[in-house]
Amino acid sequence: MNIFQRLFKIGQAETHSAIDKLEDPIKMIEQGLRDLHTELDQANRALAEVKAMHIRRGNELKQYREEQETIHNKSVLLLKKAQEGAVSIEEADQLVKENLRKKADITRRITEADLQVASLQQQVTALEGNVTKIKLSITQWESELKTLKARVKVSNATQQINKQLMKMDSNSVASMLERMKDKVLDEEALAQAYGEMNQKEESNDEKVNKIIEEISVDDELAKLKSQLGIDNAKEQDSPSS
């Protein structure tokens, strides 16, 4: 079943008008899938009913054949009894004739039942084929629906992007790029400024630490000389100074 043939049936519209009014194919395919599921339910119900009839007629056919076999066996037994003298030949013949009439009626029923069973089997086969076709159509449509939904998403995204691009002419793009370049340059200059400030702070810290270190060494030297009894003033007046 072609997908477009089925789409054209939805809404009972003619083919050309359906093409012109095909505004939302996704919704139409979803409606088509709902219709297919309804058809599948109906086909399964019909298949079950025909199968039930086929089983019933098959059981009846089996019963007729069993009755036919039973009548045949009884007739053979009666004839044997007549030969043995257990029953008169006239009575045996009469009973066998009655059995043969019953057998003929059952044979007619068997013939009719055979034809009905064969016909029902053909109907079962045809209905099973229809059910399989509908299932395959549903599978195909569901796959096509997934593909179509994905394509719609891509198409919508592409349209949105294209609309945005249409709003941006070459001048606006160039202006935006220049603004971005200026912003990058500002950020780079700011980063460099922070770096220089950090280096300067480190240099000042080093000078302070060195002064503190020198003061500390002079104090330690004076303290050591004091412990040794060395007069710093005399040291400075000595000839060696």
Side-chain angles (χ1 to χ4, degrees), residues 165-228:
L165 291 176
M166 288 177 63
K167 295 178 182 178
M168 299 171 58
D169 55 19
S170 58
N171 293 330
S172 63
V173 173
S175 176
M176 182 176 64
L177 288 174
E178 287 299 323
R179 289 197 300 271
M180 290 180 65
K181 288 179 181 178
D182 290 339
K183 186 175 182 180
V184 171
L185 291 173
D186 290 341
E187 293 293 333
E188 290 176 347
L190 185 60
Q192 183 177 353
Y194 278 120
E196 291 177 356
M197 290 171 62
N198 186 43
Q199 290 177 358
K200 187 174 182 180
E201 288 179 359
E202 290 179 356
S203 178
N204 289 336
D205 288 343
E206 289 176 357
K207 290 179 179 179
V208 171
N209 291 333
K210 187 174 182 181
I211 292 171
I212 293 173
E213 193 175 308
E214 289 177 353
I215 293 174
S216 178
V217 170
D218 290 340
D219 290 343
E220 291 294 326
L221 178 60
K223 187 184 295 184
L224 180 60
K225 287 181 176 182
S226 176
Q227 291 175 356
L228 296 174

Side-chain angles (χ1 to χ4, degrees), residues 4-23:
F4 290 105
Q5 291 177 348
R6 187 159 187 83
L7 286 176
F8 297 153
K9 292 180 181 178
I10 300 172
Q12 298 180 347
E14 294 182 357
T15 302
H16 296 293
S17 61
I19 293 175
D20 295 335
K21 298 177 181 178
L22 196 61
E23 297 176 354

Side-chain angles (χ1 to χ4, degrees), residues 57-218:
R57 294 303 291 166
N59 291 337
E60 290 177 354
L61 179 60
K62 181 180 179 182
Q63 183 179 352
Y64 291 152
R65 285 174 175 166
E66 290 175 353
E67 290 180 6
Q68 186 184 50
E69 184 69 19
T70 299
I71 291 174
H72 175 76
N73 292 336
K74 285 182 178 180
S75 298
V76 171
L77 182 61
L78 282 169
L79 292 175
K80 288 182 178 180
K81 291 291 184 182
Q83 285 182 342
E84 294 172 357
V87 64
S88 64
I89 294 176
E90 292 79 6
E91 183 180 3
D93 288 348
Q94 187 65 31
L95 292 172
V96 169
K97 286 179 182 180
E98 183 65 26
N99 284 343
L100 290 175
R101 281 191 287 270
K102 290 180 180 179
K103 184 179 179 181
D105 182 61
I106 292 175
T107 300
R108 178 183 58 80
R109 294 182 184 181
I110 289 174
T111 301
E112 292 176 354
D114 265 330
L115 293 174
Q116 291 177 358
V117 168
S119 176
L120 290 170
Q121 180 59 52
Q122 290 179 351
Q123 294 181 45
V124 167
T125 302
L127 286 170
E128 286 177 339
N130 289 337
V131 168
T132 300
K133 287 181 181 179
I134 295 174
K135 287 181 178 179
L136 290 175
S137 296
I138 289 175
T139 301
Q140 178 184 353
W141 275 48
E142 288 175 342
S143 176
E144 291 182 7
L145 181 60
K146 290 180 181 178
T147 301
L148 185 57
K149 284 183 176 180
R151 291 177 62 185
V152 167
K153 287 184 179 180
V154 173
S155 176
N156 290 339
T158 303
Q159 289 182 26
Q160 188 65 25
I161 293 172
N162 288 337
K163 287 180 181 178
Q164 294 296 330
L165 291 176
M166 288 177 63
K167 295 178 182 178
M168 299 171 58
D169 55 19
S170 58
N171 293 330
S172 63
V173 173
S175 176
M176 182 176 64
L177 288 174
E178 287 299 323
R179 289 197 300 271
M180 290 180 65
K181 288 179 181 178
D182 290 339
K183 186 175 182 180
V184 171
L185 291 173
D186 290 341
E187 293 293 333
E188 290 176 347
L190 185 60
Q192 183 177 353
Y194 278 120
E196 291 177 356
M197 290 171 62
N198 186 43
Q199 290 177 358
K200 187 174 182 180
E201 288 179 359
E202 290 179 356
S203 178
N204 289 336
D205 288 343
E206 289 176 357
K207 290 179 179 179
V208 171
N209 291 333
K210 187 174 182 181
I211 292 171
I212 293 173
E213 193 175 308
E214 289 177 353
I215 293 174
S216 178
V217 170
D218 290 340

